[in-house]
Amino acid sequence: MTLQELAAAAALIGIAVLLAWPVPILLSRAAWPAFAPARALLLWQLIAVAGGLSMIGALWLVGLAVLPGHPVLAALPAAALAAYLLVHLAITVVQFERQRRRHLELLLLLSSPHPTQARTRVLDDAAPVAYCLPRGIGSVTVLSQGLLDDLDADELDAVIAHERAHVEQRHEVLLVAFKAWREALPWFPIAARAESEVAALVEMRADDSARRSTPDAVLARAILRVAGPTGPAEHASSRRSRHHDRFLRLGRRTP
């Protein structure tokens, strides 16, 4: 193996280590993603893709160093890792689609159409519940009766705008991809951190869409009514409260 190949292998290993530990930790602790969630989401995607490619490339170059005369055998570890990650992604996508179909079937049985809102179903549940079930142009917004009873008209409009933004911006694609990464590497704490950060950031992106037609104070009240004062546990970072960040940013216009 030449010095150039050794240097390339060392560089890829170094990049993989940086993207696997210090870079994600610094990003999850930073305050700026709350005020630029679109850029932060793009950065998380770049970290995930570049990290995976650097690990695969490093394995391939190390294999060439160990078996210089057998390029096919040398490539097997890298190919195995790539296949492992892709298979997990495919399995996660299939599982998501199956769960989505079953959820829709149950929803049609257990809910009724909203009298005035198109593509909206109402669950007979006293708890404040709001979410959107992605289904392309047939996506459905789901609200509970408890939420309808608890919210004012302007707060309800804010919630609906927020939930429909998730579908319009295809947030489920990002969430499924990062869920696949976490499930492929369950022993890897950064994968779980990345998933929780991405989940929090897509909520902020949906907030930004709702803010175009809703005053910030109204949206903040609606978030409190639906998510509560602490927010969903799965959206919390181990170092920052992204739910708290959501309220801080509502007092400042998005750039």
Side-chain angles (χ1 to χ4, degrees):
M1 193 174 192
T2 66
L3 287 176
Q4 287 182 336
E5 290 172 332
L6 284 172
L12 282 176
I13 291 172
I15 292 171
V17 170
L18 286 173
L19 295 178
W21 195 259
V23 171
I25 287 178
L26 289 173
L27 182 56
S28 66
R29 292 177 177 178
W32 70 263
F35 301 102
R39 289 195 287 272
L41 283 170
L42 178 59
L43 188 53
W44 276 112
Q45 293 172 72
L46 291 174
I47 289 172
V49 173
L53 290 176
S54 60
M55 285 190 291
I56 293 167
L59 277 178
W60 179 55
L61 291 176
V62 169
L64 288 175
V66 175
L67 299 168
H70 304 278
V72 175
L73 291 177
L76 285 180
L81 176 59
Y84 175 78
L85 295 175
L86 289 173
V87 166
H88 264 277
L89 177 60
I91 290 173
T92 304
V93 170
V94 170
Q95 289 175 341
F96 172 79
E97 286 299 319
R98 286 177 178 172
Q99 291 169 358
R100 184 190 59 77
R101 286 197 298 269
R102 290 171 184 168
H103 191 153
L104 181 61
E105 290 171 359
L106 286 173
L107 181 64
L108 294 176
L109 290 173
L110 301 176
S111 66
S112 56
H114 191 281
T116 59
Q117 292 283 348
R119 297 182 291 113
T120 302
R121 308 285 299 188
V122 178
L123 287 171
D124 187 14
D125 191 335
V129 175
Y131 62 92
C132 216
L133 188 63
R135 195 187 168 209
I137 59 173
S139 298
V140 179
T141 302
V142 182
L143 307 172
S144 68
Q145 188 60 51
L147 185 77
L148 295 175
D149 293 339
D150 197 32
L151 295 188
D152 296 334
D154 53 355
E155 293 169 347
L156 182 61
D157 289 341
V159 168
I160 292 173
H162 172 99
E163 295 302 331
R164 289 184 176 173
H166 283 310
V167 172
E168 292 167 0
Q169 297 173 21
R170 301 303 305 272
H171 288 161
E172 78 277 5
V173 175
L174 273 178
L175 295 174
V176 168
F178 278 86
K179 180 182 179 183
W181 187 20
R182 177 181 59 80
E183 292 185 349
L185 306 169
W187 62 88
F188 192 40
I190 296 303
R193 181 174 298 207
E195 183 187 26
S196 67
E197 285 289 305
V198 167
L201 290 168
V202 299
E203 293 299 324
M204 295 178 193
R205 286 283 290 153
D207 287 345
D208 287 342
S209 293
R211 293 170 79 184
R212 298 190 187 111
S213 58
T214 303
D216 288 355
V218 172
L219 180 58
R221 290 200 309 269
I223 292 171
L224 274 175
R225 297 280 182 89
V226 177
T230 58
E234 66 270 22
H235 291 175
S237 167
S238 61
R239 296 294 178 177
R240 290 194 64 86
S241 170
R242 293 301 185 196
H243 186 70
H244 180 62
D245 285 346
R246 287 180 72 186
F247 288 98
L248 289 179
R249 70 197 301 272
L250 289 178
R252 166 181 166 180
R253 295 313 304 173
T254 303

